[in-house]
């Protein structure tokens, strides 16, 4: 055996996935991503993602779970947690105590939330105060056209939905920034301090209510418009969840259309694959569960986050219908935590360690551990479980790679993996590499998105 042959036998070979696939696969990739872009445009918030996902699932025969019923293999149910987190399940041929296969992704994304009392007027302009949600780089958000999504919950129990800025004809909103001519002082600030939290104020109007008497007539006029449109008064902002998100739609990126650019791809780029995979499954061997969760970007806390007992109770409820024990079930269960990793950026390669970084078009990424410093704050999947996932991917011809989240001590991050691991379930992160993660416009590769779908399907089928 010469060196070339020996290398082929022994080396871990990496190759661009686009050089491995045929035209039939490329067509499937492109078709699949049209649906994905559509999902991105219709599901910019966790509430909209749940609504969109439930509608798609109901079309495929999923019904709200009923604890008093008995279910047979192939039955499809969902658990809607406050309209912000949803779990879909298809009952498997095997008993629940044999374990379930879980895919878990999140549907919340970084954004600007309105403060409880947001509206104010300065120099005859009306603005909203915001409180950013998740890890944003604040300087990226000014001068981006924004849309307002969310709900007002009124004292009479009614909930009014808001979605303004998405239609071509809708008005948009914007955080303004200084002109370069007058930014001499601001430009001396560090990048992280370039735009401060209390400077992320959104312009929402300038037309005063016509009256010679009185102050703050612009603010008054805005409230008059909101009252006419939504039947709300200013106090109703106190019980609202209103989110400012980028107003543009998802689009192809590049002359060759090989990439997708959009807001909120972390983590809808894994949510959509997990969702469409479970929608395409008929009767799985083991019960399949796909969960789309809220609150990941702020630490998974709260009753719609995966650090709550929601998933435990979902699995417990299904076990209950079979007279099975949830502890035994969890001990035998497996999970793919479907979340993004950082793709290597050609301009910023120095934060990556090339041998252990993920690359666009190299397929879905296995991330054995996330966390920061000395692997703090991660579940670190076992070697045995990673081997199992490798075998599954290779046997199905799925293009995949591995990645760490940047160089040692360069930073770090986390996913929902460790909260599911804490239930005693085997978990590893598997997701799509993203460029400009958490920015108002994130970039992914179509091939990687499709490979994520195939991995989710293979795991749950
Ligand atoms: Mn994520
Ligand atoms: Mn994130």
């Amino acid at each position: 055996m010469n060196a070339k042959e020996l290398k082929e036998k022994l080396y871990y070979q990496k190759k661009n996935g686009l050089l491995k696939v045929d035209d039939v696969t490329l067509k499937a990739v492109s078709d699949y991503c049209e649906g994905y872009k559509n999902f991105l445009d219709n599901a910019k918030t966790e509430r909209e993602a749940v609504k969109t996902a439930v509608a798609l699932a109901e079309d495929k025969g999923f019904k709200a779970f009923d604890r008093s019923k008995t279910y047979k293999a192939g039955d499809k149910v969902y658990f809607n947690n406050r309209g912000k987190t949803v779990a879909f399940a298809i009952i498997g041929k095997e008993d629940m105590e044999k374990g379930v296969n879980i895919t878990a992704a999140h549907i919340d994304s970084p954004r600007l939330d309105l403060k409880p009392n947001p509206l104010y007027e300065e120099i005859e302009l009306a603005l909203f105060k915001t409180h950013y949600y998740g890890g944003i780089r604040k300087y990226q958000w000014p001068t981006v056209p924004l849309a307002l999504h969310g709900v007002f919950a009124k004292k009479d129990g009614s909930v009014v939905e808001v979605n303004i800025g998405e239609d071509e004809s809708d008005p948009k909103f914007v955080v303004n920034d200084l002109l370069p001519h007058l930014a001499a002082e601001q430009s001396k600030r560090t990048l992280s301090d370039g735009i401060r939290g209390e400077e992320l104020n959104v312009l929402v109007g300038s037309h005063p209510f016509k009256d010679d008497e009185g102050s703050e007539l612009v603010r008054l006029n805005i409230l008059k418009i909101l009252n006419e449109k939504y039947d709300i008064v200013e106090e109703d902002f106190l019980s609202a969840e209103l989110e400012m998100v980028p107003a543009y739609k998802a689009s192809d990126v590049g002359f060759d259309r090989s990439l997708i650019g959009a807001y909120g791809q972390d983590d809808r780029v894994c949510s959509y694959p997990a969702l469409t995979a479970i929608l395409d499954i008929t009767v799985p061997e083991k019960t399949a569960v796909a969960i789309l969760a809220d609150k990941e970007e702020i630490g998974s806390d709260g009753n719609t986050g995966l650090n709550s007992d929601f998933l435990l109770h979902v699995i417990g409820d299904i076990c209950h219908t079979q007279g099975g024990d949830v502890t035994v079930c969890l001990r035998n269960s497996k999970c793919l935590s479907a979340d993004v990793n950082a793709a290597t950026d050609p301009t910023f390669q120095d934060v990556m360690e090339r041998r252990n970084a993920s690359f666009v078009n190299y397929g879905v990424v296995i991330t054995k551990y996330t966390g920061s410093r000395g692997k703090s704050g991660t579940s670190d999947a076992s070697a045995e479980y990673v081997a199992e996932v490798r075998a599954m991917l290779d046997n199905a011809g799925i293009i995949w790679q591995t990645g760490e989240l940047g160089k040692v001590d360069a930073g770090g991050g986390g996913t929902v993996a460790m909260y599911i691991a804490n239930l005693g379930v085997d978990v590893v992160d598997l997701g799509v590499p993203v460029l400009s993660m958490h920015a108002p416009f994130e970039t992914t590769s179509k091939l990687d998105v499709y490979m994520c779908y195939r991995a989710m399907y293979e795991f749950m089928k």
Side-chain angles (χ1 to χ4, degrees):
M1 202 178 267
N2 62 28
K4 184 170 173 276
E5 289 162 343
L6 196 59
K7 280 181 180 175
E8 259 165 39
K9 184 179 170 206
L10 297 180
Y11 276 10
Y12 169 40
Q13 307 280 0
K14 298 185 198 177
K15 191 175 173 184
N16 189 314
L18 288 171
L19 298 174
K20 293 185 185 173
V21 294
D22 58 17
D23 287 349
V24 178
T25 307
L26 283 177
K27 173 78 167 61
V29 168
S30 161
D31 291 349
Y32 181 78
C33 287
E34 289 307 303
Y36 171 50
K37 284 187 287 178
N38 200 35
F39 180 75
L40 284 167
D41 294 340
N42 290 311
K44 285 194 176 179
T45 67
E46 56 281 358
R47 286 178 189 266
E48 290 169 358
V50 167
K51 198 171 255 191
T52 307
V54 167
L56 290 171
E58 284 181 340
D59 276 350
K60 292 271 190 166
F62 282 79
K63 293 195 164 60
F65 176 79
D66 181 345
R67 211 168 187 268
S68 66
K69 280 197 171 152
T70 51
Y71 290 101
K72 60 180 191 310
D75 282 347
K76 300 171 174 182
V77 295
Y78 67 85
F79 300 72
N80 185 338
N81 182 358
R82 297 168 171 82
K84 295 198 270 188
T85 285
V86 61
F88 299 98
I90 307 181
I91 310 303
K93 291 176 196 160
E94 293 183 5
D95 286 347
M96 285 294 286
E97 288 193 354
K98 293 278 171 59
V100 298
N101 289 328
I102 306 160
T103 58
H106 68 91
I107 46 177
D108 61 318
S109 296
R111 63 193 185 231
L112 304 179
D113 283 347
L114 297 200
K115 289 192 182 189
N117 185 20
L119 181 62
Y120 71 104
E121 176 173 340
E122 283 281 343
I123 56 164
E124 290 160 271
L125 294 174
L127 299 107
F128 279 156
K129 292 299 296 181
T130 68
H131 196 139
Y132 66 95
Y133 173 98
I136 65 164
R137 306 193 73 193
K138 300 181 196 87
Y139 75 87
Q140 293 176 337
W141 289 74
T143 71
V144 170
L146 299 171
L148 183 65
H149 293 233
V151 295
F152 286 101
K154 302 207 303 183
K155 283 200 288 187
D156 64 6
S158 62
V159 174
V160 186
E161 282 187 37
V162 177
N163 183 325
I164 183 161
E166 295 295 342
D167 270 3
E168 207 92 323
S169 61
D170 275 359
K172 317 286 186 238
F173 308 96
V174 69
V175 173
N176 286 293
D177 197 359
L178 267 178
L179 60 168
H181 318 65
L182 297 177
E185 279 306 309
Q186 186 199 33
S187 299
K188 289 178 194 160
R189 298 182 189 175
T190 59
L191 193 56
S192 66
D193 191 42
I195 290 290
R196 294 171 181 151
E198 292 293 355
E199 292 170 344
L200 291 169
N201 303 317
V202 183
L203 183 63
V204 298
S206 69
H207 196 128
F209 178 75
K210 199 149 193 187
D211 194 329
D212 293 334
E213 301 291 314
S215 59
E216 301 210 346
L217 296 175
V218 179
R219 174 173 164 223
L220 181 64
N221 196 48
I222 297 292
L223 284 169
K224 179 172 172 283
I225 292 167
L226 291 174
N227 180 261
E228 285 162 4
K229 192 168 163 70
Y230 301 113
D231 192 27
I232 57 116
V233 295
E234 192 173 28
E235 202 179 309
D236 290 321
F237 276 105
L238 298 177
S239 53
E241 285 177 4
L242 295 162
E243 311 174 5
M244 284 285 180
V245 297
Y248 35 72
K249 291 190 182 340
S251 62
D252 290 344
V253 168
F255 290 115
D256 54 17
R257 296 181 172 271
S258 58
L259 306 156
I260 293 173
Y263 162 71
Q265 295 205 68
D266 174 9
D267 186 34
R268 290 179 188 95
V269 74
C270 302
S271 301
Y272 185 71
L275 170 66
T276 46
I278 202 161
L279 296 187
D280 287 347
I281 287 167
T282 47
V283 190
E285 289 301 314
K286 292 188 174 178
T287 295
V289 177
I291 183 160
L292 309 183
D294 183 27
K295 296 285 182 279
E296 192 278 341
E297 294 296 356
I298 57 170
S300 294
D301 290 322
N303 58 11
T304 55
L306 278 190
N307 197 12
S308 73
D309 284 343
F310 174 64
L311 179 60
L312 174 68
H313 294 158
V314 162
I315 294 170
D317 275 351
I318 306 175
C319 285
H320 168 84
T321 63
Q322 299 183 354
D325 187 287
V326 68
T327 315
V328 178
C329 172
L330 286 169
R331 204 170 281 148
N332 293 320
S333 293
K334 285 169 185 166
C335 174
L336 293 180
S337 163
D339 207 344
V340 299
N341 199 327
T344 305
D345 186 318
T347 310
F348 302 106
Q349 295 183 55
D350 54 339
V351 297
M352 296 301 195
E353 188 271 286
R354 182 178 272 267
R355 288 165 202 83
N356 290 283
S358 66
F359 295 86
V360 161
N361 286 327
Y362 276 64
V364 67
V365 193
I366 296 180
T367 307
K368 188 172 181 292
Y369 48 84
T370 57
S372 49
R373 303 182 303 281
K375 296 194 179 181
S376 179
T378 181
S379 52
D380 203 351
S382 75
E384 291 85 345
Y385 186 50
V386 175
E388 211 178 302
V389 173
R390 276 174 61 201
M392 175 195 84
L393 296 169
D394 280 342
N395 291 339
I398 295 166
I399 296 168
W400 63 277
Q401 58 183 323
T402 61
E404 272 199 289
L405 189 59
K407 272 183 179 168
V408 175
D409 289 341
T415 67
V416 300
M418 65 175 180
Y419 304 110
I420 297 172
N422 288 346
L423 296 173
V425 174
D426 268 320
V427 191
V428 70
D429 277 299
L430 191 96
V432 175
V434 180
L435 291 165
S436 306
M437 193 200 295
H438 286 202
F441 194 76
E442 303 172 306
T443 305
T444 58
S445 123
K446 290 184 179 178
L447 180 80
D448 299 338
V449 178
Y450 181 69
M451 291 300 156
C452 185
Y453 160 76
R454 288 209 49 216
M456 298 297 133
Y457 181 85
E458 203 60 32
F459 181 74
M460 291 189 290
K461 76 167 194 224

